[in-house]
Amino acid sequence: MLAPAIAGLLLLACSCSVSATVDLGLPHPLPADGNLFPAGIPTFKNPYAEPWYQEPPLPKNYYRGAYEHVTCPSDELVVPEDTAQLAAAIKSLRARAAAEGRPLKMRPARRGFATMASFACGPQPTLVNPFLVDGKKPMVVGLMLEKMDKVLAVDKEKQQLRVQGQMTLKGFYEAADAAGLSVPRFGLPWWQGLTLGGVFSTASHGSGNNVTHMICDWFVDVTWVDAQGEVHTSAKGSDEAFALCGGLGLLGTVTELTLQLTPSSNTHFSTWYLKPDDNLADDVEAMLKITPNLVVMWRPDLGKYTGHLQRPAPEHAPTIQGAQCNVIPQQADYQAGMSGPLLRAWQGDPFNTNTMYFAGYDTNICTLALTSAIGAPWVTKKGPLTSKGISQPVFEGVAPTNHVTSTDCGDNCVFTSKKLMSTALDVMFAFERSKLKEWVADIKALIKEDLRGIPGWGAHTRCLLPGYYVMRFGRPSDTLVGYGSGLQQPVYVQQQMMASKATPGIPSRYEWVQETYEQLTLCKYDGRPHTGKNWDRTFTNPRCPFAPKFGESFKKMVAMQDKYDPSRAYEPELWTRLAAGEGYKLKPKCILDRSCYCEADEHCADGFKCVASVAFPQYKACRPKVMN
């Protein structure tokens, strides 16, 4: 890992005075007065200044997502421990709401839920108007399910586990190990902090081109509680199961799952490492001929990608001891303590006026992205520096399947580290794989024209935030409104970037590229936004509305709601708005909470203007009015 060395180097760069006689490699001499900056470039408060960012305290009965983008208001929280307790609580809540003459709104979630959209909330937090149902203030209840995380039954003969819905992937892999079973290869996402119920309800997935790749493919049955407090168990293939998987809890609260595992297996993993992206789409096709279980991580601003391939291991192949999936960027405390302030300072300088920008900060960030993002191995094992948070990379080998599918990084994940103070900016869509080659070309054009084609000092060195673009693959999904529904051969593309959360009021670095990427993929490629990721604006974009993408499936979902939740007690405000075809509400600086795409300068942050993309002028984004 080069992060500590780079961080130390950049700290030294920060200490340089603009007027110091230090050769910063500038293409022009320093002015005698030390003023590098053209007139009119605004500045923000020094991002190193104290006090450091503190997470705002939660009001009573509120709950917040892990990324800290979404805070959900509620009138009370209910914390059941099993299905029966939840069913009894819902019946009691309905009776109370009826006695008070108030509509009831409930949302199943947990403290620290992992999503950026406000589907986890009853009211939509980015709206300023009061939340009303039929003109009345509803009773809003958060159903906090985090205690429902236990193994209920193990059937070794059938190779099945029955678990409560809020068991984390970490707990599930441990339970599978204990039972001598394996999870289907690449059948789950790669962060072990997610819950099975959350993964099921958002149709989240691993990667498997035209094979098993998501929990909707391999569950046996699901137990759930409807809006009247009645308990149901629905088998895979039933109408209810189609509505529940990827259904965002619109039908009811998922409380228990029976999951079909496989005999204990090993996986052979291999890596196409840091390849040039000149023929990326063709290379993807070549890798998919080797194995359907493929993840591609790409940095278009660096012209490189890495392919991670998984396939069944040869029988009797020796396994690596201590191997574990380690693909999610993470930093030990000593690394995060240096990197956090630097990320904060870089993001806090959107107009490129900080001395460190002229010392090559963007170039160093590109190097860091190369080494710790697309250059990171999928698998590591214990090594000499394991106690320091650094494990030995392994680029090819054989390991137990349960150990190399998802990462358990705890408080060292880049989006959970308190010292790094960064957060995830995850934007993800599904579209037909037949369009992938054209999409790749468009992303390259976006980088060339909108990131590096905007005039300014050092334009050719500009580099996106730490992170990567990701490609995963699937098959037609067994869901009504899961985001891959209706696609024949889906490719799932994700822009997964990290930004400092310690710079409120400032967009993330070069965020106009992200804003254009979202609109491009959503509109030109008919992208279906992942309901467990993305901002509210991707679901309520008036130019490319969400609901029509599902056609008859959407109508079937409405019919299932009419049957089990006619009063829409489970339906969040965001879903109500997108189902009605309502676009987002424009307001001053709405770009800062990412609730809109700009149409005028007033929607942007201070010092920014709303302008057309250079590469794709049909889409507008907020760019600095003046920038070095």
Side-chain angles (χ1 to χ4, degrees), residues 455-476:
W457 194 96
H460 63 289
T461 69
R462 291 180 193 145
C463 203
L464 296 173
L465 292 168
Y468 29 63
Y469 285 77
V470 182
M471 300 174 202
R472 285 173 274 189
F473 306 89
R475 57 177 288 277

Side-chain angles (χ1 to χ4, degrees), residues 576-624:
T576 302
R577 294 177 60 80
L578 71 85
E582 295 183 27
Y584 47 66
K585 301 295 185 182
L586 291 167
K587 60 186 180 183
K589 299 184 182 180
C590 53
I591 207 71
L592 289 175
D593 61 15
R594 301 177 178 91
S595 62
C596 74
Y597 299 110
C598 72
E599 294 183 13
D601 292 355
E602 66 174 343
H603 306 138
C604 300
D606 291 338
F608 286 72
K609 60 183 178 180
C610 184
V611 296
S613 160
V614 180
F616 304 98
Q618 63 270 45
Y619 310 121
K620 290 183 176 181
C622 293
R623 288 209 314 261

Side-chain angles (χ1 to χ4, degrees), residues 317-548:
T319 60
I320 298 171
Q321 298 301 309
Q324 60 182 359
C325 178
N326 201 42
V327 68
I328 291 179
Q330 51 196 291
Q331 291 194 336
D333 279 353
Y334 80 96
Q335 296 171 307
M338 291 186 286
S339 302
L342 290 161
L343 181 62
R344 182 189 190 197
W346 187 55
Q347 184 173 309
D349 179 35
F351 310 113
N352 297 337
T353 59
N354 193 296
T355 307
M356 68 173 62
Y357 173 72
F358 298 93
Y361 201 176
D362 275 13
T363 302
N364 284 316
I365 288 293
C366 284
T367 303
L368 182 58
L370 192 68
T371 57
S372 63
I374 58 170
W378 189 274
V379 175
T380 61
K381 66 178 182 179
K382 292 182 178 180
L385 298 177
T386 298
S387 62
K388 300 293 186 182
I390 302 175
S391 299
Q392 181 177 333
V394 184
F395 293 97
E396 183 163 9
V398 172
T401 300
N402 290 343
H403 297 184
V404 294
T405 299
S406 297
T407 300
D408 170 29
C409 45
D411 291 337
N412 288 333
C413 292
V414 289
F415 47 81
T416 57
S417 168
K418 298 299 183 184
K419 290 191 175 181
L420 186 60
M421 298 184 302
S422 71
T423 187
L425 305 178
D426 287 352
V427 181
M428 190 169 187
F429 301 93
F431 57 82
E432 291 290 0
R433 201 180 102 207
S434 59
K435 301 177 181 178
L436 181 60
K437 192 165 193 173
E438 184 182 2
W439 179 84
V440 167
D442 279 350
I443 298 303
K444 289 183 178 181
L446 180 63
I447 297 301
K448 179 181 178 181
E449 302 294 339
D450 285 69
L451 178 65
R452 293 183 173 150
I454 308 298
W457 194 96
H460 63 289
T461 69
R462 291 180 193 145
C463 203
L464 296 173
L465 292 168
Y468 29 63
Y469 285 77
V470 182
M471 300 174 202
R472 285 173 274 189
F473 306 89
R475 57 177 288 277
S477 75
D478 296 333
T479 71
L480 292 182
V481 293
Y483 80 119
S485 176
L487 297 176
Q488 295 306 304
Q489 203 168 13
V491 57
Y492 305 107
V493 296
Q494 177 180 3
Q495 187 193 49
Q496 187 174 52
M497 300 294 174
M498 297 295 143
S500 176
K501 60 188 175 186
T503 54
I506 305 175
S508 64
R509 190 76 167 177
Y510 307 133
E511 187 163 329
W512 65 83
V513 179
Q514 175 181 301
E515 294 166 31
T516 306
Y517 159 74
E518 291 176 28
Q519 296 173 81
L520 171 72
T521 309
L522 186 67
C523 299
K524 180 177 179 180
Y525 291 92
D526 194 27
R528 285 78 180 305
H530 189 325
T531 50
K533 302 184 185 294
N534 295 294
W535 311 105
D536 287 2
R537 66 190 179 193
T538 61
F539 303 97
T540 52
N541 185 342
R543 298 179 61 188
C544 306
F546 181 76

